[in-house]
Amino acid sequence: MPDDGKPDGRLIDTRSSVRPLDERRLAVLRAIVQDYVGTEEPVGSKALVERHNLGVSPATVRNDMAALEEDGFIHQPHTSAGRIPTDKGYRLFVDRLAEVKPMTAPERRAIRHFLEGAVDLDDVVARTVRLLAQLTRQVAVVQYPSLTRSTVRHIELVSLTPTKLMLVLITNTGRVEQRMVDCPGPVGESLLAELRARLNGTAGGCRLPEVPTLLEDLPTGFEPADRPSVSTVLTVLFETLAEQNEERIMLAGTANLTRFGHDFPLSIRPVLEALEEQVVLLRLLGETGDSAMTVRIGHENAYEGLNSTSVVSVGYGSGDQSVAKLGVIGPTRMDYPGTMGAVRAVARYVGQILAES
Amino acid sequence: MPDDGKPDGRLIDTRSSVRPLDERRLAVLRAIVQDYVGTEEPVGSKALVERHNLGVSPATVRNDMAALEEDGFIHQPHTSAGRIPTDKGYRLFVDRLAEVKPMTAPERRAIRHFLEGAVDLDDVVARTVRLLAQLTRQVAVVQYPSLTRSTVRHIELVSLTPTKLMLVLITNTGRVEQRMVDCPGPVGESLLAELRARLNGTAGGCRLPEVPTLLEDLPTGFEPADRPSVSTVLTVLFETLAEQNEERIMLAGTANLTRFGHDFPLSIRPVLEALEEQVVLLRLLGETGDSAMTVRIGHENAYEGLNSTSVVSVGYGSGDQSVAKLGVIGPTRMDYPGTMGAVRAVARYVGQILAES
DNA sequence: TCTGGCACTCAACTGGGCAGAGTGCCAGAA
DNA sequence: TTCTGGCACTCTGCCCAGTTGAGTGCCAGA
């Protein structure tokens, strides 16, 4: 929704002749967002001029607030209360008023050090998600490196019974997938060795989605009697490759949901429900751009249960390619610059760690 | 704590001469527990006689209540309120007053049918945990079949680079563990084949904890030049076997926590925190008896954060052996008979499914 | 040993009044 | 034209007192 996503465009363009006013209004909005994020309470004109040196009186700020409200950036819970940013207000804030807050050097060192201690892929993901939850004090989500972008490191076939095989697929990201294969006929050691060698010879090092086309004609190279078994193995292998659903996700920091709001069970429940639905989470992350950071605010989230939350997510990868996504889920009233900084930093370092191992 | 576990023992024994009175008091306690579980509100004497035909007047019930309170089975939030069972009261209820409520035939069929749809071990566990959460409307926990009780189905070695191997361990429960091995010297195909054969020949079918002793002397059967590499592989294999920490756990139903109590963030927060700590969960399940169902009520839980929850858990296994545990975490005020019935039924069916596959 | 009656207690609800934060508007200053 | 100070107004939140009602404990009598 590029139209909806930049509601500020209109405002800035049409009034660009009256620049100083707009500047100040934006400053007011920025101040409101910052204060509200800090206090969780509607912020009034007086408090605003006290805390930020805007150089004008409360009355003036009130006028600006009225204008901002008319344009839908802020909102008043009731007549005699302060203002709260709307989703649209946060959107403007994120797009034009906020700068991603970089991590400090000690923080960066700590992140790196913590992630370097990981022993295997599971551990990398586990550490990443915990770290992210801790840094942002919100709910963190990390997707396992996806199969689609990775390459085949090795395919192994293990004979369990004469007709039963186990197929093990190892990717360059360290991920391992295994499947049982029930062959139509017995599979001898020599056939197994031959098949293993051909599979690895042809597909080794290739990107997973390309594998099926590469191996399509493989059965024709075998004795007619063996072909059914070879085909079965291939079918299972292709299934494994295609099984996007198997994309796993790890969560952490759900306890931070308790810091969500005052109107409790109602606000937290749908979020907890969403978090349990892998599908929802996967789709959420799936909407993330590959390299650019994505921020979805409140109702911008397709899933209804997350309408009062914001999602900050970004892709990460070993090397230049993004192989998976990670992100953070928190209340719309969150510290966007800080959260975005943490998400970006963590994504960068996980990428490095993955590239090294 | 067998002493603490049966606080009723004293009561029953000392007053066994006054049998009818105790019977009625126990009936009162039972009625209080049942009502409180249903309504979540302190239950008074009048409501009690109305809902259960106890055959006596409210005044009499009041006397019994006073006695029950003196013995610590129930408790009064404030002077003019009804009674609430204490942990001790629930304990007595579970030990002597409640009968595990068996699942109905349609429920059993549904359980079985749902679990039978699983395609692999991950799926079995995932389905089990969701099912359990749904049936009990509480938080469900399922431990993956542990390595310690299972047996070796196959050990596979895959050469990735001349000195780098991947070790894959497949157990009879369908669990697969893999580790990288950095060998001190190059490992040729023939050595690899030899090693693979010997490993499987010696350890195949054995229970995991026995494997180290069986393979201890393996290196001596190889050429002196190869021994360091063989030893390295063995070390990694033994590590894999010993790595209890890797025991994985799956959770579901956290959204049910929102039905916990009224005093929200405070009561739910420590529980969410506990649920994120695999260690806590593992220890929790670890305290479960192998075959008998364990119920830990409120303060009986070692972990402080779970002091206002009860945990119902039991072992499950393929065949006669318990290979892992599963359970449910809910408020102390839970429907014990129903929960226990569901837990028992699910455990039984998972066991069957695992045994079949 | 049980029961009905009675006085007592205490949380929860109700409605009125008050304080305070915050607003909108307007007339006058820069 | 834009900003500012002042003023009247509108709410919510809080405190207070009074009332209600559920529930108890105790006691005398069946």
Side-chain angles (χ1 to χ4, degrees):
Chain A
M1 43 177 93
D3 205 341
D4 198 6
K6 289 196 183 292
D8 46 3
R10 183 167 43 77
L11 182 108
I12 298 298
D13 292 349
T14 43
R15 310 202 186 175
S16 56
S17 52
V18 212
R19 195 69 164 294
L21 177 125
D22 284 356
E23 287 293 351
R24 198 187 56 216
R25 273 196 200 158
L26 293 179
V28 168
L29 177 57
R30 179 194 284 123
I32 291 176
V33 171
Q34 286 169 350
D35 271 26
Y36 183 65
V37 164
T39 63
E40 296 190 35
E41 268 166 21
V43 6
S45 54
K46 198 174 140 204
L48 215 55
V49 276
E50 274 170 10
R51 292 233 277 261
H52 307 73
N53 42 358
L54 296 169
V56 291
S57 77
T60 311
V61 171
R62 280 205 286 281
N63 287 329
D64 291 344
M65 282 172 141
L68 286 169
E69 180 154 21
E70 187 158 359
D71 288 346
F73 296 118
I74 56 179
H75 160 252
Q76 216 175 1
H78 55 264
T79 322
S80 73
R83 302 310 215 289
I84 294 179
T86 59
D87 289 356
K88 194 177 165 192
Y90 285 124
R91 166 58 50 205
L92 179 56
F93 175 80
V94 167
D95 285 349
R96 312 209 350 112
L97 303 175
E99 293 194 351
V100 176
K101 195 166 100 200
M103 299 273 99
T104 64
E107 279 173 324
R108 287 204 302 274
R109 239 175 291 131
I111 293 174
R112 194 168 170 89
H113 183 253
F114 183 64
L115 292 182
E116 270 171 350
V119 299
D120 62 4
L121 182 67
D122 272 336
D123 201 22
V124 170
V125 175
R127 280 169 182 252
T128 304
V129 77
R130 294 184 75 136
L131 183 64
L132 203 51
Q134 240 167 39
L135 284 173
T136 60
R137 305 198 59 195
Q138 282 160 177
V139 181
V141 191
V142 177
Q143 183 183 16
Y144 272 69
S146 124
L147 291 175
T148 41
R149 296 298 182 77
S150 24
T151 58
V152 174
R153 181 178 277 169
H154 188 85
I155 297 170
E156 182 58 36
L157 291 168
V158 179
S159 165
L160 300 175
T161 72
T163 66
K164 215 169 185 177
L165 303 179
M166 172 159 274
L167 171 76
V168 182
L169 169 69
I170 306 168
T171 75
N172 67 327
T173 50
R175 186 155 161 179
V176 178
E177 292 284 323
Q178 82 281 352
R179 285 288 180 291
M180 291 296 184
V181 188
D182 270 315
C183 290
V187 178
E189 253 325 307
S190 63
L191 171 59
L192 207 62
E194 167 95 22
L195 182 53
R196 188 187 293 132
R198 294 236 201 144
L199 284 176
N200 284 293
T202 314
C206 299
R207 304 173 91 236
L208 304 199
E210 298 161 358
V211 171
T213 23
L214 291 170
L215 293 176
E216 216 168 14
D217 300 331
L218 199 71
T220 56
F222 286 82
E223 297 289 323
D226 295 334
R227 285 182 199 160
S229 293
V230 173
S231 293
T232 310
V233 170
L234 283 185
T235 310
V236 174
L237 173 61
F238 296 167
E239 273 175 24
T240 311
L241 294 170
E243 213 158 78
Q244 296 279 3
N245 317 353
E246 278 293 339
E247 304 220 35
R248 274 171 54 204
I249 269 189
M250 201 171 257
L251 264 188
T254 44
N256 291 325
L257 288 176
T258 52
R259 303 183 308 118
F260 233 63
H262 325 276
D263 51 341
F264 232 71
L266 292 124
S267 65
I268 206 185
R269 156 142 244 184
V271 182
L272 273 172
E273 274 166 1
L275 294 181
E276 282 209 353
E277 291 299 329
Q278 301 262 330
V279 191
V280 171
L281 290 179
L282 282 168
R283 189 175 308 162
L284 210 63
L285 291 178
E287 288 164 356
T288 306
D290 262 357
S291 56
M293 185 146 36
T294 304
V295 181
R296 312 212 134 250
I297 298 168
H299 292 79
E300 296 171 10
N301 286 301
Y303 185 77
E304 200 178 346
L306 298 178
N307 273 350
S308 60
T309 66
S310 286
V311 181
V312 177
S313 56
V314 70
Y316 70 91
S318 56
D320 49 351
Q321 292 264 20
S322 153
V323 293
K325 318 281 173 72
L326 57 76
V328 156
I329 299 166
T332 47
R333 159 194 48 69
M334 70 159 73
D335 168 20
Y336 289 95
T339 305
M340 290 167 80
V343 168
R344 193 178 62 183
V346 170
R348 193 170 295 165
Y349 285 115
V350 194
Q352 287 183 16
I353 302 284
L354 284 182
E356 286 164 16
S357 61
Chain B
M1 46 178 87
D3 206 341
D4 198 7
K6 288 195 183 293
D8 46 4
R10 184 169 43 76
L11 183 109
I12 298 299
D13 291 351
T14 43
R15 313 203 183 175
S16 55
S17 52
V18 211
R19 196 64 165 297
L21 175 124
D22 283 356
E23 287 293 349
R24 198 188 57 216
R25 274 198 199 158
L26 293 179
V28 168
L29 177 58
R30 178 195 283 121
I32 290 175
V33 171
Q34 287 169 348
D35 271 25
Y36 183 64
V37 164
T39 63
E40 295 191 35
E41 268 166 20
V43 4
S45 53
K46 198 175 141 205
L48 216 56
V49 279
E50 273 168 11
R51 291 235 275 263
H52 307 75
N53 42 359
L54 295 169
V56 290
S57 78
T60 312
V61 170
R62 280 206 285 283
N63 288 329
D64 290 344
M65 281 172 143
L68 285 170
E69 179 155 23
E70 186 156 0
D71 288 347
F73 295 117
I74 56 180
H75 160 251
Q76 217 175 2
H78 54 263
T79 322
S80 72
R83 301 311 216 288
I84 294 177
T86 59
D87 289 355
K88 195 176 165 191
Y90 285 122
R91 167 57 49 203
L92 178 56
F93 176 79
V94 168
D95 285 348
R96 313 210 350 113
L97 302 175
E99 293 194 352
V100 176
K101 194 167 102 200
M103 300 273 97
T104 65
E107 279 173 325
R108 286 204 302 273
R109 238 176 292 131
I111 293 175
R112 198 171 165 87
H113 183 253
F114 183 65
L115 291 182
E116 269 171 351
V119 300
D120 62 5
L121 182 66
D122 272 335
D123 201 22
V124 170
V125 175
R127 279 167 182 254
T128 304
V129 77
R130 294 185 75 134
L131 182 64
L132 203 50
Q134 238 167 42
L135 284 173
T136 61
R137 305 198 57 194
Q138 283 161 177
V139 181
V141 191
V142 177
Q143 183 183 17
Y144 273 69
S146 128
L147 291 175
T148 40
R149 295 300 180 76
S150 23
T151 59
V152 174
R153 181 179 278 168
H154 187 84
I155 297 171
E156 182 57 34
L157 290 169
V158 178
S159 167
L160 298 176
T161 73
T163 66
K164 215 169 182 177
L165 304 178
M166 172 158 274
L167 172 77
V168 181
L169 170 69
I170 306 167
T171 74
N172 66 329
T173 51
R175 185 155 162 180
V176 178
E177 292 283 323
Q178 83 282 351
R179 286 287 180 293
M180 292 295 182
V181 189
D182 271 315
C183 290
V187 179
E189 254 324 307
S190 63
L191 171 58
L192 208 61
E194 167 94 24
L195 183 52
R196 189 187 293 129
R198 294 237 201 142
L199 284 176
N200 284 292
T202 313
C206 299
R207 303 173 92 235
L208 302 200
E210 299 161 358
V211 170
T213 24
L214 291 169
L215 293 176
E216 216 168 15
D217 299 333
L218 199 71
T220 54
F222 285 84
E223 297 290 322
D226 295 334
R227 285 181 198 162
S229 293
V230 173
S231 295
T232 309
V233 170
L234 284 184
T235 310
V236 174
L237 174 60
F238 295 168
E239 273 174 25
T240 310
L241 294 170
E243 212 158 81
Q244 297 278 2
N245 317 352
E246 277 292 338
E247 304 221 37
R248 275 171 55 206
I249 269 188
M250 200 171 260
L251 263 186
T254 45
N256 291 326
L257 287 177
T258 53
R259 304 185 307 117
F260 233 64
H262 325 276
D263 51 343
F264 232 72
L266 292 122
S267 64
I268 206 184
R269 156 140 244 184
V271 182
L272 273 173
E273 275 166 0
L275 294 181
E276 282 209 352
E277 291 299 329
Q278 302 261 330
V279 192
V280 171
L281 290 179
L282 283 168
R283 190 175 307 161
L284 211 62
L285 292 179
E287 288 165 355
T288 307
D290 262 358
S291 55
M293 184 145 36
T294 304
V295 181
R296 311 211 134 250
I297 299 167
H299 291 81
E300 295 171 10
N301 286 301
Y303 185 77
E304 200 177 346
L306 298 177
N307 272 349
S308 61
T309 66
S310 287
V311 180
V312 177
S313 55
V314 70
Y316 70 92
S318 56
D320 48 352
Q321 291 266 17
S322 154
V323 293
K325 319 280 174 72
L326 57 76
V328 157
I329 299 167
T332 47
R333 158 194 49 68
M334 69 161 70
D335 168 19
Y336 289 94
T339 305
M340 290 166 81
V343 167
R344 192 177 64 183
V346 170
R348 192 171 294 164
Y349 284 114
V350 193
Q352 288 182 16
I353 301 286
L354 284 181
E356 285 165 16
S357 64

